[in-house]
């Protein structure tokens, strides 16, 4: 089959999912949110997509990989639509800033958990080495074995 004919052949959501590795559920959500456009529906009522949908899904994946939420991607596409296709780089820059801040917050939270683990291990080093740990306030007491 010639490449041009292959590109213009509509895809079902299942084929789009296979070609992109994105779940059918996510693709339906993206479509319902207006992030991916369909060509309409087949006679069997399947959503139909063209090659542009492949690009959209990959672009959404790229933005998700940068930490943007689906809501932020929708916000970006709405800004692009409202600006009649004019560049929205400054808007994307703000969204990337938000993503970076969220990531810093998650890193800080994970660092706190790591510090609690290290403190716990230090405080209970002997019990952990013996393989037996008595939890303070355990109503079963320390001598009861399960």
């Amino acid at each position: 089959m010639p490449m041009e004919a292959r590109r213009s052949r509509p895809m079902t959501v299942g084929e789009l999912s296979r070609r992109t590795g994105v779940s059918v559920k996510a693709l339906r959500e993206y479509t319902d949110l207006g992030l991916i456009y369909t060509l309409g529906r087949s006679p069997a009522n399947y959503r139909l997509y063209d090659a542009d949908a492949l690009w959209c899904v990959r672009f959404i994946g790229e933005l998700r990989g940068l930490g943007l939420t689906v809501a932020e991607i929708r916000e970006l596409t709405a800004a692009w639509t409202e600006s009649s296709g004019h560049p929205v780089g400054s808007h994307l820059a703000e969204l990337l800033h938000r993503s970076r801040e969220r990531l810093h917050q998650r890193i800080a939270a994970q660092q706190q958990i790591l510090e609690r683990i290290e403190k716990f291990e230090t405080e209970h080093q002997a019990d952990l080495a013996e393989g037996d740990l008595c939890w303070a306030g355990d109503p079963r007491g320390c001598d009861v074995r399960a």
Side-chain angles (χ1 to χ4, degrees):
M1 176 183 295
M3 195 61 149
E4 189 57 40
R6 191 172 185 184
R7 284 187 199 161
S8 62
R9 186 178 59 81
M11 293 175 277
T12 63
V13 70
E15 183 177 349
L16 183 60
S17 174
R18 283 188 298 280
R19 292 179 67 178
T20 61
V22 175
S23 72
V24 168
K25 182 179 178 181
L27 293 172
R28 287 182 179 140
E29 178 185 359
Y30 295 162
T31 302
D32 292 344
L33 292 172
L35 299 178
I36 307 172
Y37 295 103
T38 67
L39 296 172
R41 298 235 179 211
S42 72
N45 206 31
Y46 290 110
R47 299 172 199 230
L48 296 175
Y49 301 89
D50 63 11
D52 290 348
L54 292 168
W55 180 88
C56 288
V57 173
R58 289 182 184 117
F59 188 63
I60 292 166
E62 181 75 21
L63 294 173
R64 296 286 287 142
L66 294 171
L68 271 63
T69 64
V70 172
E72 288 170 332
I73 295 168
R74 188 171 183 206
E75 183 182 320
L76 182 65
T77 57
W80 183 80
T81 302
E82 290 168 9
S83 70
S84 301
H86 290 96
V88 291
S90 61
H91 194 84
L92 177 56
E94 173 57 32
L95 294 174
L96 291 172
H97 175 76
R98 282 192 227 166
S99 177
R100 182 181 295 110
E101 289 304 312
R102 281 193 304 268
L103 184 56
H104 282 301
Q105 290 171 0
R106 286 196 305 266
I107 289 169
Q110 295 298 308
Q111 187 63 40
Q112 289 177 347
I113 293 170
L114 185 58
E115 290 167 6
R116 287 197 307 268
I117 290 170
E118 290 167 355
K119 180 181 177 191
F120 185 91
E121 288 176 330
T122 299
E123 291 174 356
H124 300 283
Q125 188 173 10
D127 294 326
L128 292 170
E130 293 175 11
D132 192 22
L133 182 63
C134 180
W135 291 92
D138 186 340
R140 298 173 298 156
C142 293
D143 295 329
V144 178
R145 305 246 188 257

